[in-house]
Amino acid sequence: MTVAKAEFPFGPVPPAEALQIMRAIRDDRPMTKVAFPVGGECWMLHRHETCRAVLEDRRFVRKPFTDGRPVPYAFEFPAFLTQTLQFMDPPDHTRFRRLVSKAFTLRRVERLRGKVQDIADELVDAMVAAGPPANLVESFALRLPIRVIGDMLGVPQDGRGDFVRWSHAMLATSGMTEDEVTEAMTSLYLYLQELMTRKRDDPRDDLLSALVAARDADDRLTDDEIIQIAMLLVAGGFDNTANFIELGVQALLADPGQHAALLADIDGVIATAVEEILRHGGFVLGQEMGGFAGLVPFVASEDVELDGVLIKAGDAVAVDLGTANHDDGVFADSDRFDVTRERNPHLTLSHGLHHCLGAPLARMELQVGIATLFRRLPELKLAGEPVYLEGVLTGGMTDLPVTW
């Protein structure tokens, strides 16, 4: 099969145009060989079934990216990311995930639900007291997950002020010098190292203390591994959640019918609404498309045939989450945003070996945060155009103006 080649990125473009491009791509071909601005090529897989199959297939590995193979993007993935679960293969991945999962349990996440509700109510109280209009990014979307991840890790209140700066520096693709990125990452590393030492001497009921204590027989996480996990949580544990709060609110307020459907039964609809926000929200081409895991390539360890196309050993392959999540063969009326969609096997939180360990936390925060906003502020509406964040791998907004 002859497959078209395209320049990457394809955008970014307005959401309506992005959906049109996606439809044309997925209807025309199962994958695209994309060329990157700095050289190198990668297969971008567009169909849900193929993406899911690759995420389950052990013949597609990540190890080459930690062995010095250059990443074929206009940016380099941060060094600390290449030492985390996303870039590991078995058996290292198996060991690491087993130990981390002992600390990052669904039970621990659910114990936080009441606390997350309290935080969400407190933030809405502050919005109401200040009066409209408001920048939802600064007043709610960022503040909620920062406080949650801070509480979960056991970070003192006075230690959270630099989280956004550190996170954006670690995930910067442009706009920051190498020295600025290095300084930010070093500051975060040293801060977490000192905090971890305190947790070892005086453990508390928090995730960092649990990671310090996590062991399996004689095996345990090293200090560097614990710090890498904590850095990943700081980098991705609040930014992506904040992004989807913003995208979810924007999508709901832009669609009167879906807004009304949520308001009519918030408790009954919020779970499916969050899944639809995860599926439908991150579709702007050229951005990270709902989770930067989707743009971390795999490498074929041997020749593999996918959809009639020969992927040769050593070829880079990436799943195109935005297009896969709008596959008409899987999602009925796939381009429609539908908060009551029941069957929703989206791939935003990945699948298989690399399924996001933080998925239960992300879902819970989105459910509580978005439900609280619309329950407390049923008259919420957009008050202007969003301002998008540039130069950061996870995308997002700097301003989502709202009023009520």
Short mmCIF file of all heavy atoms in Angstrom, two decimals, residues 50 63 81 90 100 134 154 163 166 176 178 204 208 215 237 287 318 327 333 362 369 383 391:
data_model
loop_
_atom_site.label_atom_id
_atom_site.label_comp_id
_atom_site.label_asym_id
_atom_site.label_seq_id
_atom_site.Cartn_x
_atom_site.Cartn_y
_atom_site.Cartn_z
N THR A 50 -5.92 0.06 15.09
CA THR A 50 -4.48 -0.07 14.89
C THR A 50 -3.71 0.54 16.05
O THR A 50 -2.73 -0.04 16.53
CB THR A 50 -4.07 0.63 13.57
OG1 THR A 50 -4.92 0.18 12.52
CG2 THR A 50 -2.63 0.32 13.23
N LYS A 63 12.71 1.71 24.33
CA LYS A 63 14.10 1.74 24.79
C LYS A 63 15.05 2.51 23.89
O LYS A 63 15.97 3.18 24.39
CB LYS A 63 14.61 0.31 25.00
CG LYS A 63 15.89 0.24 25.83
CD LYS A 63 16.28 -1.21 26.10
CE LYS A 63 17.40 -1.35 27.09
NZ LYS A 63 18.49 -0.42 26.95
N LEU A 81 12.07 12.73 31.71
CA LEU A 81 10.95 11.95 31.19
C LEU A 81 11.43 10.63 30.59
O LEU A 81 10.75 9.60 30.70
CB LEU A 81 10.19 12.73 30.12
CG LEU A 81 9.16 13.75 30.56
CD1 LEU A 81 8.51 14.40 29.35
CD2 LEU A 81 8.09 13.12 31.45
N PRO A 90 9.54 -3.75 29.41
CA PRO A 90 9.81 -4.86 30.32
C PRO A 90 11.24 -5.37 30.11
O PRO A 90 11.75 -5.29 28.99
CB PRO A 90 8.78 -5.90 29.90
CG PRO A 90 7.68 -5.11 29.25
CD PRO A 90 8.39 -3.99 28.55
N VAL A 100 5.49 1.18 42.00
CA VAL A 100 4.77 2.45 42.07
C VAL A 100 3.29 2.20 42.35
O VAL A 100 2.66 2.94 43.13
CB VAL A 100 4.93 3.24 40.75
CG1 VAL A 100 4.05 4.47 40.75
CG2 VAL A 100 6.38 3.63 40.55
N ALA A 134 -14.08 36.32 35.39
CA ALA A 134 -12.93 35.64 35.97
C ALA A 134 -12.15 34.94 34.88
O ALA A 134 -12.70 34.57 33.84
CB ALA A 134 -13.38 34.62 37.02
N GLY A 154 2.30 15.39 49.71
CA GLY A 154 2.70 15.84 51.03
C GLY A 154 3.62 17.05 50.98
O GLY A 154 4.50 17.21 51.82
N PHE A 163 5.44 25.50 41.35
CA PHE A 163 5.06 24.31 40.61
C PHE A 163 4.80 24.60 39.13
O PHE A 163 5.24 23.86 38.25
CB PHE A 163 3.82 23.66 41.24
CG PHE A 163 4.15 22.62 42.29
CD1 PHE A 163 5.38 22.61 42.92
CD2 PHE A 163 3.23 21.65 42.64
CE1 PHE A 163 5.68 21.66 43.89
CE2 PHE A 163 3.52 20.69 43.59
CZ PHE A 163 4.74 20.70 44.22
N TRP A 166 8.11 25.49 37.34
CA TRP A 166 8.94 24.29 37.19
C TRP A 166 8.36 23.36 36.11
O TRP A 166 9.08 22.83 35.26
CB TRP A 166 9.03 23.54 38.51
CG TRP A 166 9.92 24.19 39.53
CD1 TRP A 166 10.96 25.06 39.28
CD2 TRP A 166 9.87 24.02 40.94
NE1 TRP A 166 11.54 25.44 40.47
CE2 TRP A 166 10.91 24.81 41.50
CE3 TRP A 166 9.06 23.29 41.81
CZ2 TRP A 166 11.15 24.88 42.88
CZ3 TRP A 166 9.30 23.35 43.17
CH2 TRP A 166 10.33 24.14 43.70
N MET A 176 12.15 29.25 26.14
CA MET A 176 13.02 29.27 27.31
C MET A 176 14.42 28.85 26.89
O MET A 176 14.58 27.99 26.02
CB MET A 176 12.50 28.33 28.41
CG MET A 176 11.16 28.73 28.98
SD MET A 176 10.72 27.71 30.43
CE MET A 176 11.84 28.38 31.66
N GLU A 178 18.17 27.12 27.43
CA GLU A 178 18.61 25.87 28.05
C GLU A 178 18.98 26.09 29.51
O GLU A 178 18.71 25.25 30.37
CB GLU A 178 19.79 25.30 27.27
CG GLU A 178 20.25 23.93 27.76
CD GLU A 178 21.34 23.34 26.90
OE1 GLU A 178 21.56 23.83 25.77
OE2 GLU A 178 21.99 22.37 27.36
N ARG A 204 4.57 10.37 56.62
CA ARG A 204 3.18 10.78 56.84
C ARG A 204 2.28 9.98 55.91
O ARG A 204 2.74 9.14 55.14
CB ARG A 204 3.03 12.28 56.58
CG ARG A 204 3.94 13.16 57.43
CD ARG A 204 3.56 13.10 58.89
NE ARG A 204 4.47 13.90 59.71
CZ ARG A 204 4.25 15.18 60.04
NH1 ARG A 204 3.18 15.80 59.58
NH2 ARG A 204 5.10 15.82 60.82
N LEU A 208 4.41 10.54 48.67
CA LEU A 208 5.87 10.53 48.70
C LEU A 208 6.36 9.60 49.82
O LEU A 208 7.32 8.83 49.62
CB LEU A 208 6.41 11.95 48.90
CG LEU A 208 7.87 12.17 48.51
CD1 LEU A 208 8.15 11.74 47.08
CD2 LEU A 208 8.26 13.64 48.70
N ARG A 215 8.09 -1.42 48.60
CA ARG A 215 9.08 -2.46 48.35
C ARG A 215 8.36 -3.75 47.98
O ARG A 215 7.19 -3.93 48.25
CB ARG A 215 10.00 -2.68 49.56
CG ARG A 215 9.30 -3.06 50.84
CD ARG A 215 10.27 -3.54 51.93
NE ARG A 215 11.28 -2.57 52.25
CZ ARG A 215 12.61 -2.78 52.07
NH1 ARG A 215 13.02 -3.92 51.54
NH2 ARG A 215 13.48 -1.87 52.40
N GLY A 237 0.99 15.79 36.47
CA GLY A 237 -0.09 15.48 37.40
C GLY A 237 -1.07 16.60 37.60
O GLY A 237 -2.16 16.36 38.13
N GLN A 287 -0.90 20.00 18.41
CA GLN A 287 -0.71 20.06 19.84
C GLN A 287 -0.48 18.63 20.32
O GLN A 287 -0.28 17.71 19.55
CB GLN A 287 -1.94 20.69 20.50
CG GLN A 287 -2.22 22.11 20.02
CD GLN A 287 -1.18 23.10 20.50
OE1 GLN A 287 -0.68 23.00 21.61
NE2 GLN A 287 -0.83 24.05 19.66
N ALA A 318 3.97 6.40 16.07
CA ALA A 318 3.26 7.12 17.12
C ALA A 318 1.76 7.01 16.89
O ALA A 318 1.30 6.97 15.75
CB ALA A 318 3.67 8.59 17.15
N ASP A 327 -12.74 8.02 15.50
CA ASP A 327 -12.89 6.98 14.49
C ASP A 327 -14.36 6.57 14.41
O ASP A 327 -14.94 6.06 15.37
CB ASP A 327 -12.02 5.78 14.89
CG ASP A 327 -11.93 4.73 13.79
OD1 ASP A 327 -12.91 4.56 13.05
OD2 ASP A 327 -10.87 4.08 13.69
N ASP A 333 -21.33 8.79 15.42
CA ASP A 333 -21.38 10.25 15.25
C ASP A 333 -20.17 10.87 15.95
O ASP A 333 -20.28 11.73 16.83
CB ASP A 333 -22.68 10.79 15.84
CG ASP A 333 -23.02 12.19 15.34
OD1 ASP A 333 -22.30 12.68 14.44
OD2 ASP A 333 -23.98 12.79 15.84
N ALA A 362 -6.99 11.51 37.77
CA ALA A 362 -7.43 12.50 36.77
C ALA A 362 -8.94 12.47 36.62
O ALA A 362 -9.60 13.52 36.59
CB ALA A 362 -6.75 12.21 35.43
N GLY A 369 -14.31 18.56 39.93
CA GLY A 369 -14.11 19.96 39.55
C GLY A 369 -15.19 20.49 38.63
O GLY A 369 -15.77 21.56 38.86
N ALA A 383 -16.93 34.59 28.34
CA ALA A 383 -16.90 36.05 28.31
C ALA A 383 -15.85 36.56 27.33
O ALA A 383 -15.45 37.73 27.42
CB ALA A 383 -16.64 36.60 29.71
N GLY A 391 4.54 26.90 23.42
CA GLY A 391 5.89 26.54 23.81
C GLY A 391 5.99 25.53 24.93
O GLY A 391 7.06 25.32 25.50
#
